Amino acid sequence: MKREAFLGAATVLLCAVLYYQTTLIADYGFAQVGADVWPKMILGAIAALALLQMALGLYRPRSRVGSEVSPAGARPDWRGSALVPFTVFGAIIGFALLVPFAGFTVSGLLMVFVLLTVIGPKTPRAIAAHAAIAAVSVLSVAFFFSYVMGVLLPGWAL
């Protein structure tokens, strides 16, 4: 099985387990929308994207890049392939630790900018694009949560 299909299947399975967990949320009837609605919508969107990832992974032909046989005794550079997961985990942990002090918006801006800059290209134009992407994405999420959903986010509000 291709890596994309395996990861997509694992994500769909995790979404199914988490969806089942949302059915156990008690409904007290005092809100217009139950506490289980938004998690179910988000899990449905993630599952749909994971199914798309599986389909594309199975449809696309296997890439020839990196499929060369390495010389006997040669070890692959694990540090290069581990950069992305360690960067993502570190950024998420840093975000969680920074939220109580700096708030959601500032922590989110910093996390998205750092992730894009560490993982992506490092030209001045790309860094400016990273800053713009971080600002638009985090501020729109903060706006959506604050004004559309009425959720009080930690830190300063928009």
Side-chain angles (χ1 to χ4, degrees):
M1 182 185 283
K2 290 184 180 179
R3 181 181 69 173
E4 292 86 4
F6 176 74
L7 291 174
T11 304
V12 169
L13 182 64
L14 180 64
C15 285
V17 169
L18 293 174
Y19 188 89
Y20 171 74
Q21 291 296 317
T22 62
T23 62
L24 303 177
I25 297 173
D27 184 18
Y28 295 109
F30 60 83
Q32 291 178 344
V33 177
D36 61 333
V37 172
W38 291 110
K40 286 180 180 176
M41 289 177 58
I42 292 168
L43 288 169
I46 292 172
L49 291 172
L51 289 171
L52 178 64
Q53 176 186 9
M54 288 174 55
L56 291 175
L58 292 172
Y59 175 73
R60 289 185 183 153
R62 187 172 288 269
S63 173
R64 297 287 180 214
V65 177
S67 62
E68 300 87 18
V69 177
S70 60
R75 292 184 178 200
D77 182 21
W78 65 271
R79 284 171 259 157
S81 62
L83 172 71
V84 173
F86 284 136
T87 302
V88 171
F89 289 132
I92 291 172
I93 290 169
F95 171 78
L97 293 174
L98 191 60
V99 165
F101 304 105
F104 173 83
T105 308
V106 173
S107 301
L109 286 168
L110 189 62
M111 181 187 73
V112 172
F113 179 74
V114 166
L115 279 174
L116 290 172
T117 304
V118 169
I119 295 172
K122 293 162 185 60
T123 63
R125 183 176 181 172
I127 291 173
H130 298 164
I133 291 169
V136 169
S137 62
V138 172
L139 293 175
S140 62
V141 167
F143 175 82
F144 182 77
F145 273 90
S146 297
Y147 294 107
V148 176
M149 294 175 55
V151 174
L152 183 62
L153 297 173
W156 59 274
L158 293 176

